[in-house]
Amino acid sequence: MSTKWVAGLSAIVLFAVCSGARAEEQAVGFADESGWKSLFNGKDLSGWIAEGHATWKVEDACLVGVQGPGNKPGDLLTEAEYADFELVVTYQIQWPANSGVWFRYQSPQKAYQADILEYKDPECYSGTLYCPGKMFLFMNEDPDLVKRDGWNTLTIRAEGDLLKVGLNGVDIGEVRDDLTSHGRIGFQIHAGDQFKDMKITVREIKIRPLG
């Protein structure tokens, strides 16, 4: 089987998966019967604000982020703020990487992040909950929960001071913390030459407000 044929097939599969996941894009901004609504319309960055120097764009109905020129970092954040909610993010990452899903973000010093990374000291993996100034509030210590070459689903629940994160159907942990009660939701691209090949591809991000 030729390498070109395999690469072409992979591109077709990625397009089909992303496009299929955006079948509901016409309903963006409107809650379905169970209260879920999409934060990404599959077409453009409407409703989002880029901060920093990372590059964000839409490819084949997926949200894609990479470092900016000179290995520069950056964030992509919602215009709207959210307090209590459930959040589902389905993504694929190109390694090595250091990224994550911001939530209740008010500033780089006041936010939470469900990490997408492989950290050495202490050893932890995607699904770890990070808090600026407090480091990790709880950690995913099981690398087998991560689909390194496939699609992963992060789930986040923030209700009052109770924060929960899950990865691929497994509950990673929960903690009570009151650093911030509301804020924006977004994605991070970390700086550094070691992450120059990092690429995050998001095919779904949906939210259900609580209360």
Side-chain angles (χ1 to χ4, degrees), residues 183-203:
R184 295 187 285 170
I185 291 167
F187 300 95
Q188 179 192 40
I189 292 292
H190 206 278
D193 182 67
Q194 68 269 42
F195 305 123
K196 62 183 174 61
D197 296 323
M198 171 175 50
K199 177 180 180 180
I200 185 169
T201 303
V202 180
R203 75 180 188 193

Side-chain angles (χ1 to χ4, degrees), residues 116-135:
I116 301 171
L117 49 58
E118 294 176 335
Y119 206 78
K120 294 182 178 179
D121 186 17
E123 182 180 354
C124 58
Y125 302 89
S126 300
T128 292
L129 180 61
Y130 167 76
C131 179
K134 301 181 182 182
M135 198 57 174

Side-chain angles (χ1 to χ4, degrees), residues 20 62 107 116 159 168 176 198:
C62 286
S107 73
I116 301 171
E159 189 171 16
N168 296 327
R176 290 191 178 276
M198 171 175 50

Side-chain angles (χ1 to χ4, degrees), residues 35-55:
W36 290 96
K37 68 176 182 178
S38 177
L39 295 180
F40 171 54
N41 66 17
K43 298 179 292 185
D44 55 38
L45 299 180
S46 297
W48 296 83
I49 299 173
E51 297 184 358
H53 302 282
T55 299

Side-chain angles (χ1 to χ4, degrees), residues 12 22 24 159 173:
I12 292 171
R22 301 287 353 129
E24 78 282 8
E159 189 171 16

Side-chain angles (χ1 to χ4, degrees), residues 149-184:
D149 300 315
W151 294 100
N152 295 266
T153 298
L154 269 172
T155 56
I156 299 169
R157 184 182 179 96
E159 189 171 16
D161 66 352
L162 182 61
L163 311 174
K164 299 181 180 182
V165 177
L167 180 67
N168 296 327
V170 177
D171 293 334
I172 301 300
E174 63 178 72
V175 67
R176 290 191 178 276
D177 191 88
D178 61 359
L179 176 67
T180 171
S181 62
H182 64 282
R184 295 187 285 170

